[in-house]
Short mmCIF file of all heavy atoms in Angstrom, two decimals:
data_model
loop_
_atom_site.label_atom_id
_atom_site.label_comp_id
_atom_site.label_asym_id
_atom_site.label_seq_id
_atom_site.Cartn_x
_atom_site.Cartn_y
_atom_site.Cartn_z
N ARG N 209 20.23 -16.91 136.75
CA ARG N 209 21.64 -17.27 136.93
C ARG N 209 22.53 -16.12 136.50
O ARG N 209 22.20 -15.35 135.61
CB ARG N 209 22.00 -18.51 136.11
CG ARG N 209 21.12 -19.67 136.46
CD ARG N 209 21.85 -20.99 136.39
NE ARG N 209 21.20 -21.89 137.32
CZ ARG N 209 21.68 -22.19 138.51
NH1 ARG N 209 22.83 -21.72 138.89
NH2 ARG N 209 21.01 -22.99 139.32
N CYS N 210 23.69 -16.04 137.16
CA CYS N 210 24.67 -15.02 136.82
C CYS N 210 25.26 -15.34 135.44
O CYS N 210 25.67 -16.47 135.19
CB CYS N 210 25.77 -15.01 137.88
SG CYS N 210 27.11 -13.89 137.48
N SER N 211 25.32 -14.34 134.57
CA SER N 211 25.84 -14.58 133.21
C SER N 211 27.36 -14.74 133.23
O SER N 211 27.95 -15.24 132.28
CB SER N 211 25.46 -13.41 132.30
OG SER N 211 26.02 -12.22 132.83
N LYS N 212 28.00 -14.32 134.34
CA LYS N 212 29.47 -14.39 134.39
C LYS N 212 29.97 -15.69 135.03
O LYS N 212 30.97 -16.24 134.61
CB LYS N 212 30.02 -13.20 135.17
CG LYS N 212 29.78 -11.88 134.44
CD LYS N 212 30.09 -10.68 135.31
CE LYS N 212 29.68 -9.40 134.57
NZ LYS N 212 29.33 -8.34 135.52
N CYS N 213 29.27 -16.17 136.07
CA CYS N 213 29.79 -17.35 136.78
C CYS N 213 28.74 -18.46 136.93
O CYS N 213 29.01 -19.50 137.50
CB CYS N 213 30.31 -16.95 138.17
SG CYS N 213 29.00 -16.48 139.31
N ASP N 214 27.50 -18.23 136.47
CA ASP N 214 26.45 -19.25 136.47
C ASP N 214 25.88 -19.57 137.85
O ASP N 214 25.06 -20.48 137.99
CB ASP N 214 26.95 -20.54 135.79
CG ASP N 214 25.76 -21.34 135.25
OD1 ASP N 214 24.83 -20.71 134.70
OD2 ASP N 214 25.75 -22.57 135.40
N ARG N 215 26.29 -18.85 138.89
CA ARG N 215 25.72 -19.05 140.22
C ARG N 215 24.29 -18.53 140.20
O ARG N 215 23.98 -17.58 139.48
CB ARG N 215 26.59 -18.26 141.22
CG ARG N 215 25.98 -18.04 142.61
CD ARG N 215 26.07 -19.29 143.46
NE ARG N 215 25.98 -19.01 144.89
CZ ARG N 215 24.84 -18.84 145.57
NH1 ARG N 215 23.69 -18.85 144.95
NH2 ARG N 215 24.87 -18.63 146.88
N LEU N 217 21.21 -16.37 141.21
CA LEU N 217 21.11 -15.06 141.84
C LEU N 217 20.19 -15.14 143.05
O LEU N 217 19.28 -15.96 143.09
CB LEU N 217 20.56 -14.03 140.84
CG LEU N 217 21.37 -13.80 139.56
CD1 LEU N 217 20.75 -12.67 138.75
CD2 LEU N 217 22.83 -13.49 139.88
N CYS N 236 24.38 -11.52 142.27
CA CYS N 236 25.27 -12.67 142.37
C CYS N 236 26.00 -12.53 143.70
O CYS N 236 26.59 -11.49 143.98
CB CYS N 236 26.26 -12.66 141.20
SG CYS N 236 27.30 -14.12 141.21
N PRO N 237 25.93 -13.55 144.58
CA PRO N 237 26.53 -13.42 145.91
C PRO N 237 28.05 -13.27 145.82
O PRO N 237 28.64 -13.65 144.81
CB PRO N 237 26.18 -14.74 146.60
CG PRO N 237 25.19 -15.42 145.73
CD PRO N 237 25.37 -14.88 144.35
N GLY N 242 30.20 -18.45 146.99
CA GLY N 242 30.18 -19.24 145.77
C GLY N 242 29.83 -18.49 144.50
O GLY N 242 29.68 -19.09 143.44
N GLY N 243 29.69 -17.15 144.58
CA GLY N 243 29.39 -16.37 143.38
C GLY N 243 30.60 -15.54 142.97
O GLY N 243 31.72 -15.81 143.41
N CYS N 244 30.35 -14.55 142.11
CA CYS N 244 31.45 -13.67 141.70
C CYS N 244 31.17 -12.23 142.10
O CYS N 244 32.03 -11.37 142.00
CB CYS N 244 31.69 -13.77 140.18
SG CYS N 244 30.36 -13.01 139.21
N GLY N 245 29.94 -11.96 142.58
CA GLY N 245 29.60 -10.62 143.02
C GLY N 245 29.51 -9.61 141.91
O GLY N 245 29.42 -8.41 142.15
N GLY N 246 29.52 -10.07 140.66
CA GLY N 246 29.62 -9.16 139.53
C GLY N 246 28.31 -8.81 138.84
O GLY N 246 28.32 -8.08 137.87
N THR N 247 27.17 -9.34 139.35
CA THR N 247 25.91 -9.08 138.66
C THR N 247 24.85 -8.58 139.63
O THR N 247 24.73 -9.11 140.74
CB THR N 247 25.40 -10.38 138.00
OG1 THR N 247 26.36 -10.83 137.06
CG2 THR N 247 24.09 -10.14 137.27
ZN1 ZN F 28 28.49 -14.21 139.18
#
Side-chain angles (χ1 to χ4, degrees):
R209 303 215 152 258
C210 175
S211 60
K212 293 169 186 153
C213 70
D214 205 41
R215 165 77 158 83
L217 300 185
C236 184
C244 71
T247 300

